[in-house]
Amino acid sequence: MKTTRGRLNPKLLAVSVSTIACGALHAPACAQADGTAVQEVIVTAQRTAAPESKTPVALSVLTAADLDAIGADTPGALAARLPNTYLENSYDGLRITIRGVSNADVTEKGDPSAAFMVDGVYVARPQSQNTALYDVDRVEVLRGPQGTLYGRNTTAGVVNVITKAPVNRFEGDVNATFGNWGERKVGAMVNVPVNAVLALRAAATWNKHDPYLSNGSNTPRTLGLDRDDRAARLSAKLALGDNASLLVRYEASRDNSNNDSTVPDSNFYSGIATGNPVWNGDSTDKRLTYRFNPPNTRFEQGYSHKKTSALTAELNWDLGPATLSWLGAHRSFDHDYDYNFYYRVAPAVALGVRQPFNGSYNQDSHELRLATNGTGPLSAQGGVYWFRERARDVYYFRDLQLVGLPPYYVFANDPVRSQSKAVFGQATYRLVDGLRATAGARYTEDDKSRTGYIGYQRAATFNAATDLRDLNAGRIATNRTTWRLGLDYDLSPATLVYGAVATGYKAGGFNDGCVAGDSRNGVGCLPTSALPAASLTYRPETVRAYEAGVKTRFWDGRASLNVAAFHYDYRDLQLSNEVVVNGRPRYETTNAAEAAVRGLEADGQVRATRADTATYALTLLDAHYVGYVPDGVHSWSGVKLDRTPARTLALGWEHRFHLAGGQLAAGVGTHASASYLLGVPQAGLKFRVPGHTESDLHAGWTPDGARWSVLARVRNLENEVRPMTISSSGLTVPTEPRTADVRFDYRF
């Protein structure tokens, strides 16, 4: 295909696709009434409802049917169906990586690079993002910075889980699932139209499976990578006259999974002590077996108890020329756990560390937005946003006496505050028929602070006669204006071409420590641990992104193709890991000077017949550091960012046919990835994950005229596991092995 100076020419691509695509110019009109057309999905990616094929941003949508087919009932199960996207349920929370951009600081002071949302509400804590997906309408994943409409901490993109709202008809469903690894699940939903103005919907789920990890260390404790959670949601939709409606949702969940879900990195690699890790080729069983016996302590039984509640209200009022919307939410999250660390303190020496933790987090958010109605040449929206989070936690590390620390190395923080305020607006104007220009901007102010201490104690309870406390406090205020400029053009009724330049912003923050002379609540900054003010804080992360794309339907609407080409210039990319400061372990975030990301994505569907549907996705990606010297000596310029394979290919096929008095739908999908890196820059380690495939199968049968159905699924047919995350201390979270289950549904 012709390019200009090595860059993709989106208009030439669109012309080529349209030329070879039979019937492209008339696809909407001739979409087959017999069900052969690719189904259109309505999305709210730009905060107003629009068809996915007419939304000029790179996004993927997974519907409820898609989630059921692949058995995706947690965010971490979605990634194989999403181009250039990784969602990983790590031991310390959900890690989201989009087009190579991620973040590892999941502490109370950290922020993600990709926003995770539920029904449009930002969920701040990664530990509470590892949530059950149930009674979900769709999941929208936007790739690229979304700073104008979604705000801060969206330099990588947005994941928005949209649950089903009450409808004006009676319906219900109960389901049960059983599988290997002791999997058992139960779910239920009922929707009741109380009267002409009120509808109620209730849904609940309970999920459990045994640990994937086995204990080979001759100790009695049970390990993690298990599941034990339950959740329920009650929704009410009230019509307020003819022009307004109020939707209220309340959700509560409990999660009692085991937090000990890691193995040493030596389960996957040899040669770590030499600084050159090499994939060891061990079997899946060996990689999922924990064999480390610490020389300095005896591990305890780990556990994790999470409690979450959320109240959300959404008001929409049609004023005629415009619609006024308010979205308000309160979320609370409590977490109590005991974790056993594998902690490498030297290339060939590792210790065991026990960590009890108790934390509480509360967040409130409000957004007021006004969006124009009608079909005139101008459409616009604008509003104000306010967010506040207050957290407190206390945790301590035991068993580090061999590195010169006391028996209890304590971190206590209360309060930790984060507040964000923003004003935003975006407008699209039709220049001529089919050609539209978009401009938007958002101004954001962020204020983050923490007051706490680091304790050096002989016991869990502080003793002023024998113990010391060191101030652990910081504050930073940052602000940015992010903006977006774009053009989109209807090359034909079935082909949209678009291009945009957009910026993103992630708030700055502070590290563990204190500044000499500072004192809070009677705790001062010890001279031996004081840090320069410049190293206590880190700068905001910013990005400027250039993107062009094509979305087209062809073959009489029976096939679709979405193509996006992009280039990012990152500044002050935030990278986090454990480090030793003044002889004491801390969690530190630093800024990589520059990073560059560029790539190409293509995905779509083909409805070959009424009974056959194929899906495909191809990505090409080059994401690397442009300027980064993590230890002040060794340059990582040119080194790839984490989780950035040069190529990936996903293929899927489903066939439906009549069998034994019912409808059978059987499908297969596979995801092939080139190798990629997981880096620990502070230690100079580069862990290469080899190229691999991961495949799944599903088959569902529904008897004619019946209310019940059965669905069988197998995931990871290859039964291969890989490291999801690797920390500088060697903690490694494996992916899931082969799983299989059968689900029964009864609808009424």
Side-chain angles (χ1 to χ4, degrees):
M1 179 173 296
K2 183 178 179 180
T3 59
T4 302
R5 295 185 181 178
R7 297 189 298 272
L8 181 71
N9 186 318
K11 186 165 184 176
L12 287 178
L13 175 63
V15 172
S16 300
V17 169
S18 298
T19 301
I20 65 173
C22 171
L25 295 179
H26 307 288
C30 60
Q32 299 297 306
D34 62 359
T36 57
V38 172
Q39 183 181 4
E40 185 67 85
V41 180
I42 302 300
V43 299
T44 53
Q46 294 195 304
R47 310 305 300 271
T48 56
E52 184 277 332
S53 65
K54 298 298 183 182
T55 301
V57 296
L59 77 152
S60 298
V61 185
L62 294 175
T63 65
D66 296 328
L67 302 179
D68 288 343
I70 61 177
D73 57 1
T74 65
L78 303 177
R81 295 297 182 97
L82 301 170
N84 274 332
T85 303
Y86 293 81
L87 294 96
E88 298 166 317
N89 288 332
S90 187
Y91 73 97
D92 53 2
L94 185 67
R95 305 279 188 92
I96 304 175
T97 305
I98 301 178
R99 293 175 174 174
V101 182
S102 186
N103 182 62
D105 187 356
V106 297
T107 68
E108 73 288 336
K109 60 185 175 55
D111 291 310
S113 295
F116 184 86
M117 296 184 167
V118 177
D119 295 318
V121 175
Y122 176 69
V123 181
R125 291 302 102 213
Q127 297 87 346
S128 64
Q129 296 169 4
N130 284 348
T131 184
L133 300 180
Y134 64 103
D135 202 33
V136 170
D137 183 74
R138 66 190 184 278
V139 179
E140 298 180 6
V141 180
L142 285 68
R143 299 184 294 278
Q146 308 296 324
T148 301
L149 293 180
Y150 289 90
R152 64 176 193 146
N153 304 337
T154 61
T155 52
V158 171
V159 178
N160 192 11
V161 178
I162 301 165
T163 64
K164 292 185 177 179
V167 294
N168 291 321
R169 63 178 180 275
F170 179 81
E171 62 181 14
D173 175 90
V174 292
N175 60 78
T177 302
F178 303 95
N180 64 341
W181 300 99
E183 181 185 17
R184 54 267 197 209
K185 303 177 185 177
V186 177
M189 176 278 296
V190 62
N191 187 98
V192 179
V194 177
N195 51 41
V197 298
L198 177 64
L200 300 176
R201 189 180 188 95
T205 184
W206 174 83
N207 308 280
K208 194 175 182 69
H209 70 64
D210 297 338
Y212 297 141
L213 296 182
S214 60
N215 188 357
S217 61
N218 300 318
T219 58
R221 67 191 183 101
T222 301
L223 298 178
L225 284 184
D226 62 328
R227 189 172 184 187
D228 184 4
D229 61 77
R230 56 194 184 275
R233 182 188 309 115
L234 178 63
S235 306
K237 188 171 185 179
L238 178 67
L240 303 174
D242 295 333
N243 301 316
S245 65
L246 177 66
L247 175 59
V248 179
R249 295 179 172 99
Y250 176 76
E251 183 171 15
S253 67
R254 303 288 185 273
D255 186 341
N256 294 313
S257 305
N258 188 341
N259 221 40
D260 280 353
S261 56
T262 61
V263 297
D265 50 10
S266 56
N267 275 32
F268 291 87
Y269 297 91
S270 58
I272 299 170
T274 67
N276 296 295
V278 178
W279 189 257
N280 61 23
D282 276 349
S283 67
T284 293
D285 287 343
K286 286 185 176 181
R287 287 176 175 155
L288 295 177
T289 301
Y290 192 98
R291 296 180 292 272
F292 175 66
N293 279 305
N296 60 315
T297 189
R298 181 177 176 85
F299 280 153
E300 302 170 334
Q301 177 59 53
Y303 64 85
S304 173
H305 303 307
K306 299 178 182 179
K307 182 173 66 173
T308 304
S309 64
L311 177 64
T312 303
E314 181 179 357
L315 174 67
N316 290 289
W317 185 11
D318 187 347
L319 302 174
T323 295
L324 181 67
S325 301
W326 166 72
L327 178 62
H330 172 78
R331 295 183 63 91
S332 66
F333 173 60
D334 298 309
H335 197 186
D336 174 37
Y337 68 74
D338 195 359
Y339 187 76
N340 297 286
F341 274 91
Y342 171 88
Y343 184 65
R344 183 183 292 112
V345 295
V349 179
L351 302 178
V353 179
R354 292 171 289 171
Q355 184 205 0
F357 176 98
N358 183 271
S360 177
Y361 311 86
N362 289 275
Q363 68 168 70
D364 296 278
S365 62
H366 298 274
E367 181 182 82
L368 187 66
R369 186 169 55 89
L370 188 68
T372 60
N373 297 326
T375 58
L378 177 66
S379 62
Q381 58 181 303
V384 293
Y385 176 78
W386 179 86
F387 169 87
R388 180 183 63 190
E389 182 187 31
R390 189 188 189 282
R392 65 106 194 133
D393 56 36
V394 58
Y395 53 97
Y396 51 86
F397 299 94
R398 301 182 62 182
D399 315 308
L400 284 171
Q401 294 91 315
L402 291 180
V403 296
L405 288 168
Y408 291 81
Y409 182 44
V410 183
F411 287 76
N413 305 296
D414 188 10
V416 184
R417 292 190 174 98
S418 177
Q419 183 167 305
S420 183
K421 298 177 288 184
V423 57
F424 64 92
Q426 181 165 298
T428 299
Y429 185 75
R430 187 171 67 237
L431 301 174
V432 296
D433 285 346
L435 178 63
R436 295 162 294 272
T438 296
R442 186 183 190 106
Y443 175 73
T444 304
E445 292 183 351
D446 290 297
D447 193 336
K448 300 165 68 174
S449 65
R450 174 181 62 187
T451 301
Y453 66 83
I454 302 173
Y456 307 93
Q457 302 175 190
R458 307 302 301 174
T461 302
F462 179 76
N463 184 337
T466 60
D467 302 335
L468 288 176
R469 283 181 174 173
D470 192 9
L471 184 65
N472 190 26
R475 181 169 186 173
I476 186 171
T478 57
N479 62 80
R480 281 292 188 279
T481 297
T482 51
W483 49 267
R484 180 182 182 88
L485 298 174
L487 287 172
D488 62 276
Y489 177 58
D490 295 323
L491 193 64
S492 76
T495 301
L496 174 71
V497 181
Y498 65 91
V501 182
T503 63
Y505 151 72
K506 179 181 172 184
F510 43 82
N511 290 309
D512 291 328
C514 55
V515 177
D518 196 2
S519 178
R520 314 276 180 91
N521 299 332
V523 179
C525 185
L526 298 177
T528 56
S529 58
L531 298 175
S535 64
L536 186 61
T537 61
Y538 52 88
R539 297 180 298 277
E541 174 181 296
T542 61
V543 61
R544 179 173 294 184
Y546 305 85
E547 184 154 339
V550 180
K551 296 186 176 186
T552 187
R553 300 289 180 94
F554 54 97
W555 195 17
D556 288 342
R558 294 164 60 175
S560 67
L561 171 65
N562 303 321
V563 177
F566 52 90
H567 176 86
Y568 295 173
D569 288 321
Y570 265 93
R571 296 292 184 273
D572 294 320
L573 189 67
Q574 295 173 8
L575 302 172
S576 306
N577 229 313
E578 298 100 336
V579 297
V580 176
V581 179
N582 297 328
R584 300 156 188 171
R586 305 283 176 88
Y587 203 78
E588 182 180 71
T589 297
T590 57
N591 295 101
E594 296 180 52
V597 180
R598 55 179 176 264
L600 177 72
E601 299 165 346
D603 67 272
Q605 297 182 46
V606 178
R607 293 295 304 273
T609 69
R610 287 188 60 191
D612 294 275
T613 302
T615 59
Y616 61 91
L618 170 70
T619 70
L620 304 175
L621 184 62
D622 175 20
H624 60 273
Y625 299 106
V626 174
Y628 183 33
V629 184
D631 58 0
V633 178
H634 301 92
S635 174
W636 274 46
S637 179
V639 175
K640 300 290 187 181
L641 301 184
D642 285 4
R643 303 173 191 87
T644 56
R647 299 168 303 279
T648 66
L649 176 65
L651 297 172
W653 172 79
E654 184 180 77
H655 179 69
R656 295 177 177 270
F657 54 97
H658 200 263
L659 178 69
Q663 181 79 12
L664 179 67
V668 59
T670 189
H671 178 268
S673 171
S675 64
Y676 55 86
L677 289 181
L678 296 175
V680 184
Q682 290 81 353
L685 295 174
K686 303 181 182 74
F687 296 92
R688 181 170 293 279
V689 180
H692 56 270
T693 63
E694 185 170 326
S695 307
D696 58 76
L697 295 171
H698 70 270
W701 186 66
T702 304
D704 293 337
R707 295 180 179 269
W708 63 273
S709 62
V710 60
L711 175 63
R713 301 168 294 205
V714 182
R715 294 169 292 276
N716 189 8
L717 283 169
E718 294 83 351
N719 196 31
E720 295 180 357
V721 298
R722 297 169 298 282
M724 282 196 295
T725 60
I726 303 178
S727 74
S728 61
S729 64
L731 287 173
T732 303
V733 181
T735 58
E736 295 183 357
R738 180 191 300 129
T739 59
D741 60 33
V742 178
R743 169 171 163 159
F744 301 89
D745 274 271
Y746 180 78
R747 293 166 294 278
F748 57 90

